[in-house]
Each structure stands twice: as structure tokens, then as C-alpha cells.
Amino acid sequence: MACTAEHTMHIGELADRTGLSLRTIRHYGEIGLLPASTRTEGGFRVYSESDCTKVLGIKCLKFLGFDLETIAEMLDVTQNPDAARLPRIQTLVAEARISLNTLEQQLTEAHSFIAALERKSASNE
């Protein structure tokens, strides 16, 4: 499920909507990657839609192979752009494109393998 306009949620809903575990979301909070927007009077974490969007971005960057330290840097760069950081931003973009190209090649290979299996299966019927 995608994140939508101004809605707050507890950690369980955030986990359901992003496909991540409660433990992962808590870990992201503990390391400062995803602090809760606020807490209820009872001490429960409350997250915003922008937190949901941020988690989906983190998930995407993890899928591209980035470690949490680099992801934290990427989030900082995007939230606090600075002309002096432009070379680093360009490096991060280049790294992301390389990862994406690798994944696209792997996906193409997987499609070819599945197609070969389907042809083999059809010829044996």
C-alpha cells in the first residue's frame, strides 16, 4: 500500500504498509535513521505519511545494495542540499545507477531463464 496525504499511524500500521518488520523499523529509529514523528501520552511511537515515504525510500535503497550508513548520508544530502556537497551527490547517483543496472541485468536473465523453463515445460506436455 502506498503512503498517502496527512495520516498518522502507529508502528504496526507503518510495518504493514511498508512490508518491513517492527524490529527493522525500531532499529531504524534507534540508529537515528527514522525517529518517530511523535509519541502518544502512553509512549507509543506515532509516524507520519512523510515517515512512511521515507521508509519506502530506505527500503528501495537497501534493495539497491546500500548500507545503512550510506543511506543515512543520502537522506541527509537530500534533506539538506548544499552546493559544496554536489560532488558527493553525483557520486551517490552514479553508485545508485550502477546498482540499478546490475539489478536490471539480473532481472533480464531471470526472465530468460523462466521463458526457457516454460518452453521446456510446453514441449514435454
Side-chain angles (χ1 to χ4, degrees):
M1 175 185 282
C3 301
T4 57
E6 298 312 310
H7 168 74
T8 59
M9 66 203 87
H10 291 281
I11 193 169
E13 183 179 349
L14 181 62
D16 288 344
R17 291 176 63 185
T18 60
L20 295 177
S21 69
L22 297 174
R23 183 176 181 174
T24 296
I25 293 170
R26 284 189 190 107
H27 177 67
Y28 290 171
E30 290 166 5
I31 64 172
L33 201 56
L34 183 73
S37 293
T38 188
R39 287 188 180 257
T40 64
E41 288 181 17
F44 294 101
R45 297 171 179 94
V46 178
Y47 296 92
S48 68
E49 288 299 324
S50 65
D51 293 328
C52 183
T53 300
K54 187 175 185 178
V55 170
L56 293 173
I58 293 167
K59 186 176 175 181
C60 177
L61 292 169
K62 284 287 294 171
F63 186 74
L64 287 173
F66 290 101
D67 60 46
L68 292 178
E69 184 178 324
T70 304
I71 292 170
E73 180 184 9
M74 292 171 122
L75 293 174
D76 183 55
V77 164
T78 58
Q79 293 169 353
N80 304 302
D82 180 346
R85 298 169 93 178
L86 184 59
R88 183 60 179 148
I89 293 169
Q90 291 169 334
T91 299
L92 293 170
V93 168
E95 290 174 11
R97 290 204 180 279
I98 289 168
S99 294
L100 183 59
N101 287 340
T102 300
L103 289 171
E104 287 173 341
Q105 289 172 346
Q106 292 171 342
L107 188 57
T108 298
E109 291 171 12
H111 281 293
S112 295
F113 183 74
I114 290 169
L117 287 175
E118 289 172 337
R119 286 190 301 274
K120 187 73 169 168
S121 174
S123 69
N124 287 334
E125 290 180 0

Short mmCIF file of all heavy atoms in Angstrom, two decimals, residues 62-65 98-114:
data_model
loop_
_atom_site.label_atom_id
_atom_site.label_comp_id
_atom_site.label_asym_id
_atom_site.label_seq_id
_atom_site.Cartn_x
_atom_site.Cartn_y
_atom_site.Cartn_z
N LYS A 62 18.06 0.05 0.21
CA LYS A 62 18.58 -1.23 0.69
C LYS A 62 18.56 -2.26 -0.44
O LYS A 62 19.50 -3.02 -0.61
CB LYS A 62 17.75 -1.75 1.88
CG LYS A 62 17.99 -1.07 3.19
CD LYS A 62 19.31 -1.41 3.83
CE LYS A 62 19.38 -2.87 4.23
NZ LYS A 62 20.72 -3.27 4.65
N PHE A 63 17.46 -2.26 -1.20
CA PHE A 63 17.34 -3.19 -2.32
C PHE A 63 18.44 -2.94 -3.35
O PHE A 63 18.92 -3.88 -3.99
CB PHE A 63 15.95 -3.05 -2.96
CG PHE A 63 15.68 -4.06 -4.03
CD1 PHE A 63 15.42 -5.37 -3.71
CD2 PHE A 63 15.68 -3.68 -5.36
CE1 PHE A 63 15.18 -6.32 -4.69
CE2 PHE A 63 15.43 -4.62 -6.35
CZ PHE A 63 15.19 -5.94 -6.02
N LEU A 64 18.84 -1.68 -3.50
CA LEU A 64 19.91 -1.35 -4.44
C LEU A 64 21.29 -1.71 -3.88
O LEU A 64 22.30 -1.55 -4.57
CB LEU A 64 19.88 0.13 -4.80
CG LEU A 64 18.74 0.56 -5.72
CD1 LEU A 64 18.72 2.07 -5.87
CD2 LEU A 64 18.85 -0.11 -7.08
N GLY A 65 21.33 -2.17 -2.63
CA GLY A 65 22.58 -2.65 -2.07
C GLY A 65 23.32 -1.67 -1.18
O GLY A 65 24.47 -1.93 -0.79
N ILE A 98 24.57 2.34 -11.08
CA ILE A 98 25.31 1.09 -11.29
C ILE A 98 24.54 -0.06 -10.65
O ILE A 98 24.36 -1.12 -11.26
CB ILE A 98 26.75 1.20 -10.73
CG1 ILE A 98 27.58 2.13 -11.60
CG2 ILE A 98 27.39 -0.18 -10.62
CD1 ILE A 98 28.90 2.54 -10.98
N SER A 99 24.07 0.14 -9.42
CA SER A 99 23.29 -0.91 -8.74
C SER A 99 22.02 -1.23 -9.51
O SER A 99 21.66 -2.40 -9.67
CB SER A 99 22.94 -0.46 -7.33
OG SER A 99 24.08 -0.34 -6.54
N LEU A 100 21.34 -0.20 -9.99
CA LEU A 100 20.11 -0.40 -10.74
C LEU A 100 20.39 -1.16 -12.04
O LEU A 100 19.65 -2.09 -12.39
CB LEU A 100 19.44 0.94 -11.04
CG LEU A 100 18.11 0.88 -11.77
CD1 LEU A 100 17.08 0.08 -10.97
CD2 LEU A 100 17.60 2.29 -12.03
N ASN A 101 21.45 -0.81 -12.73
CA ASN A 101 21.80 -1.52 -13.97
C ASN A 101 22.09 -2.99 -13.71
O ASN A 101 21.68 -3.86 -14.47
CB ASN A 101 23.00 -0.85 -14.65
CG ASN A 101 22.65 0.47 -15.29
OD1 ASN A 101 21.49 0.77 -15.56
ND2 ASN A 101 23.65 1.31 -15.48
N THR A 102 22.78 -3.27 -12.62
CA THR A 102 23.07 -4.66 -12.24
C THR A 102 21.78 -5.43 -11.98
O THR A 102 21.61 -6.55 -12.47
CB THR A 102 23.98 -4.70 -11.00
OG1 THR A 102 25.20 -4.02 -11.30
CG2 THR A 102 24.26 -6.12 -10.56
N LEU A 103 20.88 -4.81 -11.23
CA LEU A 103 19.59 -5.46 -10.95
C LEU A 103 18.78 -5.67 -12.23
O LEU A 103 18.15 -6.72 -12.39
CB LEU A 103 18.79 -4.63 -9.95
CG LEU A 103 19.32 -4.65 -8.52
CD1 LEU A 103 18.58 -3.63 -7.67
CD2 LEU A 103 19.20 -6.03 -7.92
N GLU A 104 18.81 -4.71 -13.13
CA GLU A 104 18.09 -4.86 -14.40
C GLU A 104 18.66 -6.02 -15.22
O GLU A 104 17.91 -6.79 -15.82
CB GLU A 104 18.13 -3.56 -15.20
CG GLU A 104 17.24 -2.48 -14.62
CD GLU A 104 17.38 -1.12 -15.30
OE1 GLU A 104 18.41 -0.88 -15.98
OE2 GLU A 104 16.46 -0.30 -15.13
N GLN A 105 19.98 -6.18 -15.22
CA GLN A 105 20.61 -7.30 -15.93
C GLN A 105 20.19 -8.63 -15.30
O GLN A 105 19.88 -9.59 -16.01
CB GLN A 105 22.13 -7.17 -15.91
CG GLN A 105 22.66 -6.07 -16.78
CD GLN A 105 24.15 -5.83 -16.59
OE1 GLN A 105 24.75 -6.30 -15.63
NE2 GLN A 105 24.75 -5.07 -17.50
N GLN A 106 20.18 -8.68 -13.97
CA GLN A 106 19.77 -9.90 -13.28
C GLN A 106 18.31 -10.22 -13.57
O GLN A 106 17.95 -11.39 -13.75
CB GLN A 106 20.01 -9.76 -11.78
CG GLN A 106 21.47 -9.72 -11.42
CD GLN A 106 21.72 -9.37 -9.96
OE1 GLN A 106 20.85 -8.83 -9.28
NE2 GLN A 106 22.91 -9.65 -9.48
N LEU A 107 17.48 -9.21 -13.63
CA LEU A 107 16.06 -9.41 -13.94
C LEU A 107 15.88 -9.93 -15.36
O LEU A 107 15.08 -10.85 -15.60
CB LEU A 107 15.30 -8.10 -13.74
CG LEU A 107 13.78 -8.16 -13.83
CD1 LEU A 107 13.20 -9.16 -12.84
CD2 LEU A 107 13.19 -6.78 -13.60
N THR A 108 16.63 -9.39 -16.30
CA THR A 108 16.58 -9.86 -17.68
C THR A 108 16.98 -11.33 -17.76
O THR A 108 16.33 -12.13 -18.44
CB THR A 108 17.49 -9.00 -18.59
OG1 THR A 108 17.00 -7.65 -18.56
CG2 THR A 108 17.52 -9.51 -20.02
N GLU A 109 18.03 -11.69 -17.04
CA GLU A 109 18.48 -13.08 -17.01
C GLU A 109 17.42 -13.99 -16.38
O GLU A 109 17.19 -15.10 -16.87
CB GLU A 109 19.80 -13.19 -16.24
CG GLU A 109 20.97 -12.56 -16.95
CD GLU A 109 22.22 -12.46 -16.11
OE1 GLU A 109 22.29 -13.10 -15.03
OE2 GLU A 109 23.16 -11.75 -16.53
N ALA A 110 16.77 -13.51 -15.34
CA ALA A 110 15.72 -14.30 -14.69
C ALA A 110 14.55 -14.51 -15.65
O ALA A 110 14.00 -15.62 -15.73
CB ALA A 110 15.25 -13.61 -13.42
N HIS A 111 14.16 -13.46 -16.37
CA HIS A 111 13.07 -13.59 -17.36
C HIS A 111 13.45 -14.63 -18.43
O HIS A 111 12.62 -15.46 -18.82
CB HIS A 111 12.77 -12.25 -18.02
CG HIS A 111 11.93 -11.33 -17.20
ND1 HIS A 111 10.62 -11.59 -16.89
CD2 HIS A 111 12.21 -10.14 -16.63
CE1 HIS A 111 10.13 -10.62 -16.15
NE2 HIS A 111 11.08 -9.71 -15.97
N SER A 112 14.68 -14.58 -18.89
CA SER A 112 15.14 -15.54 -19.92
C SER A 112 15.11 -16.97 -19.39
O SER A 112 14.69 -17.90 -20.09
CB SER A 112 16.57 -15.19 -20.37
OG SER A 112 16.58 -13.95 -21.00
N PHE A 113 15.53 -17.14 -18.16
CA PHE A 113 15.53 -18.47 -17.56
C PHE A 113 14.12 -19.00 -17.41
O PHE A 113 13.83 -20.16 -17.74
CB PHE A 113 16.24 -18.43 -16.20
CG PHE A 113 16.36 -19.77 -15.55
CD1 PHE A 113 17.27 -20.71 -16.01
CD2 PHE A 113 15.54 -20.12 -14.48
CE1 PHE A 113 17.38 -21.96 -15.43
CE2 PHE A 113 15.64 -21.37 -13.89
CZ PHE A 113 16.56 -22.29 -14.37
N ILE A 114 13.21 -18.17 -16.95
CA ILE A 114 11.80 -18.58 -16.80
C ILE A 114 11.21 -18.92 -18.15
O ILE A 114 10.49 -19.93 -18.29
CB ILE A 114 10.99 -17.49 -16.07
CG1 ILE A 114 11.44 -17.42 -14.60
CG2 ILE A 114 9.49 -17.76 -16.17
CD1 ILE A 114 10.91 -16.21 -13.85
#
